[in-house]
Amino acid sequence: ETGSLDIGKFADVIVLDAEATDVLKSRHELSSSLEDVLFALALLGDDRAVAATYVAGVKVHSSC
């Protein structure tokens, strides 16, 4: 089954915090596009960057 962000559909989603660590925060200040932010998260991010996790639309994890 393929998820969707449409109302009434199921989706597995993670919410990322682009400023979760000091290094990410410093890098985020230099970012000028979404691509920059995602690049920094891919290279510098770790589990601390995951702010929340949703499975089938239900929140199963939150770092807040």
Side-chain angles (χ1 to χ4, degrees):
E1 184 175 324
T2 302
S4 171
L5 295 179
D6 293 331
I7 295 173
K9 301 290 184 173
F10 293 108
D12 298 340
V13 178
I14 59 169
V15 178
L16 299 175
D17 179 0
E19 297 183 352
T21 66
D22 291 339
V23 172
L24 280 171
K25 187 173 183 175
S26 295
R27 178 59 176 84
H28 186 68
E29 292 171 0
L30 301 173
S31 296
S32 60
S33 67
L34 176 60
E35 289 82 3
D36 285 346
V37 174
L38 295 175
F39 179 75
L41 282 165
L43 295 182
L44 304 172
D46 57 26
D47 60 317
R48 296 172 289 178
V50 179
T53 304
Y54 293 81
V55 176
V58 177
K59 186 186 284 187
V60 296
H61 164 75
S62 177
S63 63
C64 304

